[in-house]
Amino acid sequence: MKNKLLWKIHNWIGLYSGVVIVFLSITGAAALFRPEIDRALNPKLTKVVPQEKKASLTKVVEVILSEHPDKYLFEIELPKPYLDTWNIRLMPKEKKALFPMIWEVFVNPHTGEILGERNYFESFSYFLRNIHVRLYEAAYGRQIVGLAGLALLISTITGFLIYGQFMKKRSFGEVRKKNLRIQQADLHKYIGIAALLFNLMISITGAWLGLQVYLMDAFDMNIPSQYVRENKPLGKEQDTAFALDFDKAYSTSKSVFPEMTPWIIRPTTNGEGLIHIYGDISGQTYERRSNKLVLDKFSYATEQKYNISDQDFGAKLYYVQEAFHFGDFAGLPLKVLYCILAFSSGFLSLSGFIIYLERIKKKREKKENQTPLKPLLVKWTVGMLAFIVIIAVLSTNFGIGVPSLLVTISIYGFLLFMILKGLYKLVRKKNM
């Protein structure tokens, strides 16, 4: 009875969430290499010949802001392993809902030369992140991904409980080839067991990251490194327009927090009069930029020094989630391993679907207009890849607004269609 219930749960979740899990395994495998892909596609923006001399970051920001009077400074991304240049990010003073913008200006840090500009939301790098993290659905895409992570977690646990006993009776890796269903069933079991720990980790972190907003509200949690100045010394416009010495802010961070490599400098625009400097410490396995130094805009005095290694278990657990999910803490070899294992999640969903269709093959053959297995798989594969390509083309040409609107309409339009179709069949059945 227990195994029968577990089987029903495993089967039901696999059938109704399998497509999303396959989609996320493909997009997740690609998103792992987002920085490397961006660097390869945009060498003129991200690569420069190393030199000893350094340009003045303060003067560069002044020049860029004077050339973009309709924008204000959002943040400065500093050089790191996959970026040789300064990336000065600006936000428009007047925002457009359908065409949002983060304007990026890439600068040679040695000469101060502007190498190129772009809207971040039109970059292929942003597409890779958003298609995986939000499915390009503007309203609840992140939450849908979180629910898919939860589904993968339940599917992984129930699968282990169901097939754990089976694995004791057979040699690991022995695949029977009696027919397609048995062959896929054996592969399903072996790959599920081999990738068990990875799928548990990726599902837990994926569920947390997707449902984070709701979970933090439910448990009354705050971001561990959050620093808020209650008495704001400036108005919002004054804070936004405040003239800063970024060279001094950078040198101060190197002096006060020498173990941290600064990655981001972000001045406040809400009246707090602060400079937030985020960075990385070599050897840590936490989310990038989880370390932080907060400086006062007037005196450059330290308001907060946050080293994640010095924090409690709860803070460390918070910042380990994204690092473990995207595997960005141990270089390219770990990303390659993650990529291989990511496809295991998709394979488990695909093989489970094949096993189900083969099990009900005779029932399907009795019904009219049933698509055979191979054409069915080809249709879904082509459809999924076509969807990804179309969204990529729209995203890199129009930014996030247009594709998000189309995806949102498509997702909820499809759900409405399926509900109406189900109701129609139900009513028709009762009237027969």
Side-chain angles (χ1 to χ4, degrees):
M1 184 68 182
K2 181 181 176 182
N3 279 348
K4 194 171 183 181
L5 177 61
L6 288 173
W7 171 254
K8 285 184 177 180
I9 294 171
H10 186 76
N11 190 45
W12 185 86
I13 288 179
L15 287 175
Y16 286 96
S17 65
V19 173
V20 179
I21 292 172
V22 170
F23 184 85
L24 290 174
S25 71
I26 295 171
T27 56
L32 288 168
F33 304 100
R34 195 167 61 92
E36 291 82 2
I37 292 172
D38 193 44
R39 183 174 173 85
L41 293 177
N42 301 283
K44 292 182 179 179
L45 302 180
T46 59
K47 297 180 181 180
V48 295
V49 178
Q51 299 178 39
E52 290 186 6
K53 66 175 184 178
K54 292 287 184 182
S56 169
L57 181 57
T58 303
K59 291 182 179 179
V60 165
V61 173
E62 288 175 354
V63 170
I64 291 173
L65 287 175
S66 68
E67 293 178 356
H68 296 274
D70 58 333
K71 302 177 183 68
Y72 64 89
L73 179 66
F74 170 51
E75 66 181 17
I76 301 167
E77 185 178 14
L78 301 168
K80 53 184 66 67
Y82 53 84
L83 180 69
D84 302 338
T85 57
W86 286 333
N87 181 2
I88 316 298
R89 292 195 174 110
L90 310 175
M91 296 283 279
K93 293 178 180 178
E94 294 184 7
K95 294 177 174 58
K96 298 178 181 178
L98 192 58
F99 298 98
M101 175 190 295
I102 294 180
W103 195 253
E104 298 184 313
V105 183
F106 294 86
V107 179
N108 186 323
H110 307 290
T111 65
E113 175 192 1
I114 295 177
L115 304 173
E117 305 182 15
R118 72 181 183 186
N119 181 359
Y120 171 62
F121 291 132
E122 293 179 5
S123 68
F124 191 69
S125 173
Y126 179 76
F127 158 75
L128 287 176
R129 177 175 177 78
N130 203 41
I131 195 72
H132 179 70
V133 173
R134 294 182 179 275
L135 303 176
Y136 260 86
E137 196 284 318
Y140 300 103
R142 194 179 185 99
Q143 288 72 37
I144 293 172
V145 171
L147 290 174
L150 192 60
L152 177 60
L153 175 61
I154 296 171
S155 183
T156 302
I157 294 172
T158 54
F160 176 71
L161 294 174
I162 292 168
Y163 300 123
Q165 295 299 319
F166 170 87
M167 296 303 296
K168 295 178 181 179
K169 301 176 184 178
R170 304 190 63 83
S171 300
F172 187 82
E174 180 186 350
V175 179
R176 296 169 294 173
K177 298 181 180 180
K178 183 178 180 180
N179 54 51
L180 180 61
R181 184 178 69 82
I182 292 176
Q183 180 193 51
Q184 289 297 311
D186 285 350
L187 287 171
H188 188 82
K189 298 178 185 78
Y190 294 135
I191 292 177
I193 295 297
L196 176 68
L197 293 179
F198 175 81
N199 282 319
L200 285 173
M201 181 271 296
I202 213 73
S203 61
I204 291 170
T205 55
W208 163 257
L209 293 170
L211 303 172
Q212 185 176 0
V213 174
Y214 297 107
L215 292 173
M216 290 183 73
D217 283 344
F219 293 100
D220 195 25
M221 296 171 60
N222 293 316
I223 297 173
S225 66
Q226 182 176 335
Y227 180 84
V228 178
R229 177 178 271 178
E230 297 296 337
N231 298 318
K232 298 178 181 178
L234 299 168
K236 291 183 179 180
E237 291 185 5
Q238 290 176 309
D239 198 14
T240 302
F242 198 99
L244 292 170
D245 186 337
F246 291 101
D247 298 302
K248 184 176 181 179
Y250 179 81
S251 62
T252 300
S253 74
K254 296 295 288 183
S255 175
V256 174
F257 204 164
E259 61 269 40
M260 182 182 79
T261 301
W263 279 23
I264 296 286
I265 300 176
R266 184 181 299 165
T268 58
T269 57
N270 62 353
E272 289 185 300
L274 299 171
I275 307 168
H276 294 263
I277 303 176
Y278 302 87
D280 187 42
I281 295 178
S282 179
Q284 287 186 345
T285 55
Y286 301 108
E287 180 182 334
R288 305 302 90 179
R289 304 176 301 280
S290 56
N291 303 284
K292 184 170 72 168
L293 182 69
V294 180
L295 304 177
D296 177 75
K297 279 188 177 182
F298 297 92
S299 64
Y300 296 89
T302 301
E303 295 289 328
Q304 182 196 36
K305 180 182 176 182
Y306 190 89
N307 185 337
I308 185 62
S309 294
D310 298 331
Q311 308 308 313
D312 60 25
F313 176 77
K316 290 177 180 178
L317 182 62
Y318 178 92
Y319 284 115
V320 83
Q321 302 292 325
E322 185 164 324
F324 273 34
H325 191 77
F326 288 102
D328 65 347
F329 56 88
L332 193 59
L334 182 63
K335 288 188 177 184
V336 172
L337 177 61
Y338 262 58
C339 181
I340 295 169
L341 291 171
F343 284 114
S344 73
S345 306
F347 175 80
L348 290 172
S349 294
L350 179 61
S351 59
F353 185 58
I354 293 173
I355 294 166
Y356 170 76
L357 289 180
E358 285 296 294
R359 193 170 66 248
I360 63 168
K361 186 175 181 179
K362 291 182 179 180
K363 290 183 179 179
R364 293 181 73 244
E365 289 175 346
K366 292 178 181 179
K367 296 180 180 179
E368 296 180 0
N369 302 321
Q370 290 297 308
T371 307
L373 177 61
K374 188 174 181 180
L376 184 65
L377 294 177
V378 170
K379 182 173 72 172
W380 275 96
T381 302
V382 171
M384 191 177 295
L385 293 177
F387 172 80
I388 293 173
V389 170
I390 291 170
I391 296 302
V393 171
L394 290 173
S395 178
T396 52
N397 283 277
F398 301 103
I400 183 178
V402 173
S404 290
L405 180 63
L406 292 176
V407 170
T408 301
I409 293 172
S410 299
I411 287 177
Y412 296 113
F414 176 75
L415 289 175
L416 180 61
F417 170 76
M418 294 303 293
I419 291 171
L420 292 176
K421 183 179 179 181
L423 290 173
Y424 171 75
K425 286 184 175 180
L426 184 63
V427 172
R428 187 180 178 186
K429 188 177 181 179
K430 285 185 176 182
N431 292 333
M432 287 179 66

